[in-house]
Amino acid sequence: PGALEGILQEVAQWLDWDTLKSLELASLTTDGLLRHNAFLSLLATQRGLQNDHVLRRSLQSLALAEESSTDLQRLARICRRFSKDLVLFVSGHCGRNAPEFIKLTFTLERATSVCEELLELLGPAPRPRMCVVGCGSRVAQRDILQGGAANWSKATLRVELHGTEGLLVDWGSKWWQPLEPSGEAFPEPQWLPFPLPPCTRVTSEDLIRDSDS
């Protein structure tokens, strides 16, 4: 704020009205260019995000897509090194305002889409064992009320690395555990193997039963 204030003071003191008008028009033009669909598409292509058509809405959404992609690329490199000893647990979540009847199926799809994208990055390389679960919005409801994370429109990851001596690494989100020692905990999830069996079908009744357990 201090640096910006100094710049504005210089602008107010030294620029005449015609120059100020030109500066205003240039700023509007730059802002329009940065928001234009053609520029966002070009930027997405140059950053390797050309398949993320849905995300071409703003600079912020493309930055988020690139960050997520980078994280998956790092995970893919780890999987190539430790595939036979690695187990990935991917949980899909959504916010509290999602329609009740789609929460579980949507979050399960969110978890499986992460696994599918990881498989694309791995290509023919050996694949680790992967498990998924759809959590609906129950984690968001609990954490927001207890002052935890506010954004649960995402998937979370937990990684286990096994060796001859047993479990060597247990890293990542265990969202079923309470935020505080006296806080609310959930039963440990019933993980589904990925790829999902063809007969897998999740209903709203499953969500209700899971929430009550």
Side-chain angles (χ1 to χ4, degrees), residues 105 108 192-193 195-203 206:
T105 52
L108 182 59
L192 297 172
L196 296 176
C199 60
T200 300
R201 180 173 177 271
V202 184
T203 67
D206 295 320

Side-chain angles (χ1 to χ4, degrees), residues 41-208:
S41 295
L42 175 64
L43 183 62
T45 300
Q46 290 183 343
R47 296 297 178 91
L49 303 170
Q50 57 266 33
N51 294 324
D52 295 314
H53 301 289
V54 177
L55 294 173
R56 294 181 188 176
R57 298 175 183 169
S58 67
L59 291 174
Q60 292 89 341
S61 62
L62 285 173
L64 179 61
E66 184 175 47
E67 181 180 343
S68 301
S69 175
T70 302
D71 289 343
L72 276 177
Q73 289 170 1
R74 291 173 181 166
L75 181 59
R77 288 197 292 269
I78 294 172
C79 289
R80 291 188 186 100
R81 291 181 59 192
F82 302 104
S83 59
K84 67 176 183 177
D85 302 316
L86 206 62
V87 186
L88 308 182
F89 299 89
V90 184
S91 307
H93 306 270
C94 68
R96 297 179 295 177
N97 295 327
E100 199 68 37
F101 67 94
I102 70 162
K103 284 182 179 180
L104 194 61
T105 52
F106 173 75
T107 53
L108 182 59
E109 289 172 3
R110 173 168 274 166
T112 57
S113 68
V114 172
C115 296
E116 288 165 356
E117 187 169 349
L118 179 60
L119 290 186
E120 288 183 11
L121 290 172
L122 285 174
R127 302 173 178 182
R129 179 184 161 206
M130 291 186 278
C131 302
V132 294
V133 70
C135 305
S137 64
R138 57 183 178 153
V139 184
Q141 291 170 344
R142 179 197 66 182
D143 282 25
I144 291 173
L145 289 175
Q146 296 182 10
N151 179 19
W152 280 98
S153 297
K154 61 183 179 182
T156 55
L157 173 71
R158 185 165 68 89
V159 177
E160 288 184 358
L161 179 63
H162 297 263
T164 55
E165 299 178 1
L167 183 61
L168 302 178
V169 175
D170 184 0
W171 172 88
S173 173
K174 293 184 178 181
W175 49 262
W176 55 90
Q177 296 181 349
L179 289 178
E180 301 174 352
S182 59
E184 179 185 5
F186 297 117
E188 188 165 347
Q190 296 181 351
W191 299 100
L192 297 172
F194 177 86
L196 296 176
C199 60
T200 300
R201 180 173 177 271
V202 184
T203 67
S204 57
E205 287 78 13
D206 295 320
L207 178 60
I208 295 170

